[in-house]
Amino acid sequence: MDPYQVIKKPLISEKAFELIEKENKLVIEVNLKATKNQIKEAIEKLYNVKVESVNTLITPKGQKKAYVRLSDFDDAADIASRMGLF
């Protein structure tokens, strides 16, 4: 699957900003059919970072969220600013 089809948009909320600052994680809305490996590969390819883990969940609205933890060498705030959150 194309990386641009896997990632839909970053999610913005108070909890998402807290995760960026404290846990070096990004919260992203992704394609319902995307697997954890596809999400990891898409983030690594598009933003040139190292992903440590990906956790996903499907919301009651039918959207799929991915919580992406970046390595200690990469800054989630920097990636969030490249995504247009800041």
Side-chain angles (χ1 to χ4, degrees):
M1 190 180 285
D2 183 43
Y4 292 102
Q5 292 178 342
V6 172
I7 298 170
K8 290 187 176 181
K9 63 181 179 181
L11 295 176
I12 304 168
S13 67
E14 286 184 36
K15 181 179 178 181
F17 282 117
E18 191 174 307
L19 288 172
I20 289 170
E21 293 173 358
K22 293 185 179 177
E23 298 183 30
N24 206 30
K25 287 185 181 180
L26 297 170
V27 183
I28 303 169
E29 183 180 338
V30 295
N31 189 319
L32 269 174
K33 295 181 181 179
T35 65
K36 290 181 180 184
N37 282 332
Q38 289 172 332
I39 296 166
K40 178 180 177 178
E41 290 171 6
I43 294 290
E44 287 179 344
K45 184 175 181 181
L46 292 175
Y47 298 105
N48 198 23
V49 295
K50 177 72 175 145
V51 174
E52 284 191 5
S53 66
V54 176
N55 293 324
T56 60
L57 67 92
I58 298 176
T59 66
K61 293 181 182 180
Q63 300 170 327
K64 189 171 190 176
K65 282 186 189 179
Y67 292 88
V68 180
R69 180 172 170 80
L70 302 178
S71 72
D72 293 335
F73 301 109
D74 299 307
D75 187 24
D78 180 45
I79 304 304
S81 66
R82 283 200 265 167
M83 290 179 166
L85 293 179
F86 295 124

